[in-house]
């Protein structure tokens, strides 16, 4: 306890901690960066360095760090009722009031919420709920769920199975049975010489082909993120969602829009589904729901699904921390901040257009093959050759990420795609700082590559 410094904490990590998504040997050789506090859009590490958090934590700190209102909401609720469950015909005000507040901002016809502790649990809930939905209607054979390669729906067994991360599938015998995948609408990486909209329609058509191949009588649902986040901020060509909508309308299957990243203002709308005009039957949520101040997730459910669940007897599913009162109180306060400070309007009208305009300037850098983005999401494709879109071997992103961290910017690497998703409250001057630092780190990466 006497030596509260970087080496001390790194030693504790090596001795006792198994962090998520980490190569333990590589990390232990190096030691973690220790983040000790945060304020606004900035993190501070144990060496006293200030770092602009271009990722809003993990896409979640939408209202920024240091919000006393959220601290107060948690403290007040902890004093009043720190915990009670929602099992066995009991409930408590924070969960009920939060469900109402979410129903008010959800797309029309979606008035109910099932609470979970995380986005992964939300997707586990979705898997069981959609299969149960069909079984209650006497169609238990309708249970295949179609997801997309490189989609991300969490790291539990169901979440990772619904997702299409092949490295995750390679560990632990995933995906579980009854889950199929189609290609992602990733034009830059997989579209080749095809026109982006033609490519968008072609990969969307894979949904129709897959449903027909499996048999519509065996398909329960299609799951997709409006914009793939963890897969590398994959923004579909304009043609994609309109084609998917037409295919969904032609088949009697449910549509799950995973809003864990896109929800709560990231696109400038409440949900990515609002941005694209989608009509999902279920929407997993988490992350921005509490701005990450406490863990919480849920599934927003369309009325027609609720009507069937109402006839289904007991739904044998739930978590000790479903609708946790302190998390719910913080989520309520978080939604109030988003509304009262008109954060979505500011994102939509001012800061997102500004971020996107300045982000496009990075396309002029010799290492960048594409600079794309939407709302408060953006990506850079690092390439060896701009014209042919020839890629590096996948290690350049990590080099760039390291330069960013060493120069005061969190920018995440997904292979050789660099991504940002800053707090929604980022200001114009802070966007300028983000762009300047990104450019400098691209320079440092190019120099390291001997260019
Ligand atoms: C992060 C994420 C999840 C998983 O959420 P956890 O809270 O980490 O379990 C699910 N879906 C999407 C789209 C995500 O980005």
């Amino acid at each position: 306890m006497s030596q509260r410094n970087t080496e001390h904490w790194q030693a504790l990590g090596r001795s006792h901690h198994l962090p998520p998504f980490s190569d333990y040997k590589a990390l232990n050789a190096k030691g973690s960066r220790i983040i000790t506090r945060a304020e606004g859009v900035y993190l501070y590490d144990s060496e006293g360095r200030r770092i602009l958090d271009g990722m809003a934590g993990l896409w979640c700190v939408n209202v920024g760090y240091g919000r006393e209102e959220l601290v107060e909401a948690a403290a007040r609720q902890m004093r009043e009722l720190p915990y009670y469950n929602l099992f066995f015909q009991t409930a408590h005000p924070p969960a009920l009031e939060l469900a109402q507040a979410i129903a008010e901002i959800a797309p029309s016809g979606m008035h109910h919420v099932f609470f979970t502790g995380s986005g992964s649990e939300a997707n586990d809930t979705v898997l069981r709920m959609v299969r149960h939905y069909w079984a209650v209607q006497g169609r238990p054979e309708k249970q295949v769920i179609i997801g997309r390669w490189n989609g991300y729906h969490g790291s539990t067994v169901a979440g990772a199975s619904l997702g299409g991360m092949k490295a995750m599938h390679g560990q632990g015998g995933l995906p579980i049975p009854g889950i199929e995948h189609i290609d992602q609408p990733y034009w830059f990486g997989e579209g080749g010489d095809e026109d982006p909209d033609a490519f968008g329609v072609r990969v969307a058509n894979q949904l129709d082909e897959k449903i027909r191949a499996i048999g519509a009588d065996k398909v329960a649902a299609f799951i997709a993120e409006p914009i793939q986040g963890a897969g590398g901020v994959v923004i579909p060509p304009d043609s994609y969602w309109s084609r998917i909508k037409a295919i969904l309308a032609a088949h009697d299957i449910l549509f799950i829009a995973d809003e864990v990243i896109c929800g709560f203002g990231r696109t400038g709308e409440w949900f990515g589904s609002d941005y694209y005009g989608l009509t999902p039957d279920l929407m997993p949520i988490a992350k921005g729901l509490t701005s990450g101040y406490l863990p919480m997730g849920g599934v927003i459910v369309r009325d027609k699904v609720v009507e069937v669940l109402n006839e289904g007897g007991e739904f044998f599913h739930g978590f000790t921390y479903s609708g946790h009162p302190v998390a719910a109180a913080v989520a309520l306060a978080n939604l109030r901040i988003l509304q009262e400070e008109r954060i979505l309007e500011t994102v939509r009208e001012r800061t997102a257009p500004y971020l996107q305009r300045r982000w496009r300037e990075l396309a002029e850098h010799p290492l960048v093959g594409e600079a794309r983005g939407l709302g408060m999401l953006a990506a850079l494709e690092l390439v060896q050759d701009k014209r042919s879109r020839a890629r590096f071997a996948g290690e350049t992103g990590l080099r760039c990420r390291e330069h960013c961290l060493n120069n005061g910017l969190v920018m995440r690497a997904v292979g050789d795609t660099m991504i940002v998703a800053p707090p929604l409250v980022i200001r114009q001057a802070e966007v300028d700082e983000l762009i300047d630092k990104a450019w400098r780190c691209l320079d440092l990466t190019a120099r390291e590559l001997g260019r």
Side-chain angles (χ1 to χ4, degrees):
M1 287 302 284
S2 56
Q3 13 148 219
R4 290 172 51 86
N5 58 33
T6 306
E7 291 71 37
H8 169 68
W9 285 309
Q10 288 178 336
L12 293 186
R14 284 187 198 95
S15 306
H16 303 296
H17 185 216
L18 294 172
F21 283 96
S22 300
D23 174 335
Y24 298 124
K25 197 179 199 175
L27 178 61
N28 288 341
K30 182 163 163 272
S32 300
R33 185 170 301 256
I34 311 295
I35 305 300
T36 50
R37 64 190 183 89
E39 183 64 37
V41 299
Y42 294 102
L43 306 167
Y44 295 84
D45 72 9
S46 53
E47 300 290 303
R49 281 181 295 227
R50 190 171 88 145
I51 306 165
L52 175 58
D53 186 5
M55 282 304 295
L58 275 178
W59 329 78
C60 55
V61 187
N62 288 10
V63 299
Y65 298 96
R67 289 295 193 139
E68 272 305 313
E69 306 94 308
L70 301 189
V71 178
E72 282 304 318
R76 218 178 307 122
Q77 185 59 44
M78 276 205 180
R79 290 194 188 96
E80 183 100 6
L81 178 72
Y83 176 75
Y84 200 69
N85 67 78
L86 306 174
F87 290 36
F88 318 131
Q89 305 188 341
T90 63
H92 48 64
L96 300 171
E97 287 167 10
L98 178 60
Q100 179 196 28
I102 292 171
E104 276 169 10
I105 58 171
S108 66
M110 304 186 87
H111 293 101
H112 289 75
V113 186
F114 187 106
F115 288 113
T116 68
S118 69
S120 299
E121 288 178 8
N123 281 307
D124 273 57
T125 299
V126 148
L127 179 126
R128 300 195 56 206
M129 194 179 273
V130 301
R131 289 178 172 176
H132 180 55
Y133 167 86
W134 291 113
V136 169
Q137 297 176 88
R139 306 181 69 182
E141 71 291 348
K142 255 176 104 67
Q143 61 161 303
V144 177
I145 303 176
I146 301 170
R148 302 187 299 184
W149 292 119
N150 203 40
Y152 188 77
H153 302 295
S155 191
T156 52
V157 168
S161 294
L162 294 168
M165 299 286 178
K166 287 181 182 165
M168 293 175 77
H169 290 176
Q171 296 174 337
L174 304 180
I176 55 171
I179 294 173
E180 301 273 339
H181 297 86
I182 60 172
D183 284 338
Q184 57 177 338
Y186 179 29
W187 177 78
F188 189 88
E190 298 173 359
D193 292 333
E194 210 170 348
D195 163 74
D197 280 325
F199 170 77
V201 169
R202 186 166 63 74
V203 291
N205 281 340
Q206 287 187 12
L207 177 60
D208 190 59
E209 291 151 20
K210 189 63 115 179
I211 293 169
R212 289 176 196 282
I214 299 163
D217 56 335
K218 294 202 171 56
V219 178
F222 172 57
I223 183 168
E225 302 154 82
I227 294 166
Q228 277 159 266
V233 183
V234 176
I235 301 170
D238 292 339
S239 60
Y240 182 78
W241 279 117
S242 55
R243 181 69 195 128
I244 291 282
K245 276 190 271 186
I247 293 166
L248 290 168
H251 296 285
D252 188 19
I253 68 170
L254 297 175
F255 172 44
I256 306 152
D258 185 338
E259 294 276 0
V260 171
I261 284 176
C262 292
F264 305 101
R266 185 119 322 259
T267 66
E269 304 291 337
W270 278 111
F271 297 98
S273 293
D274 299 325
Y275 184 88
Y276 285 113
L278 310 175
T279 48
D281 299 298
L282 302 102
M283 300 200 312
I285 53 172
K287 295 194 171 116
L289 171 60
T290 59
S291 281
Y293 279 58
L294 281 175
M296 180 175 230
V299 185
I300 311 178
V301 184
R302 182 165 294 283
D303 299 349
K304 85 165 190 197
V305 176
V306 175
E307 282 159 24
V308 171
L309 297 177
N310 283 341
E311 301 306 315
E314 180 169 351
F315 183 40
F316 296 105
H317 177 70
F319 304 102
T320 302
Y321 299 129
S322 283
H324 191 286
V326 182
V330 167
L332 269 167
N334 178 58
L335 294 184
R336 210 171 299 130
I337 290 175
L338 286 168
Q339 279 162 327
E340 285 176 1
E341 297 184 8
R342 301 177 56 80
I343 290 173
L344 273 60
E345 288 85 342
T346 304
V347 164
R348 197 161 57 227
E349 289 157 19
R350 301 225 315 272
T351 40
Y354 187 71
L355 170 70
Q356 296 305 336
R357 182 162 65 72
R358 295 240 41 212
W359 188 260
R360 296 304 186 281
E361 294 170 17
L362 298 170
E364 287 156 32
H365 194 279
L367 275 188
V368 175
E370 182 182 70
R372 63 171 176 269
L374 195 163
M376 284 291 172
L377 291 163
L380 297 176
E381 299 285 3
L382 305 185
V383 291
Q384 235 163 4
D385 181 77
K386 276 176 183 275
R387 226 154 309 153
S388 69
R389 311 211 295 269
R391 314 305 302 262
F392 293 103
E395 294 295 311
T396 307
L398 285 183
R399 290 172 193 240
C400 184
R401 182 183 80 182
E402 199 63 19
H403 286 300
C404 289
L405 260 179
N406 291 334
N407 287 277
L409 173 66
V410 174
M411 182 154 71
R412 178 163 160 184
V414 177
D416 288 339
T417 308
M418 304 308 297
I419 58 178
V420 295
L424 304 186
V425 295
I426 191 169
R427 290 186 287 237
Q428 203 155 308
E430 293 160 344
V431 170
D432 290 336
E433 180 185 337
L434 189 158
I435 302 293
D436 291 349
K437 284 183 168 168
W439 187 279
R440 181 152 17 106
C441 298
L442 289 166
D443 274 349
L444 291 168
T445 308
R447 196 175 314 158
E448 189 184 346
L449 294 169
R451 287 160 161 246

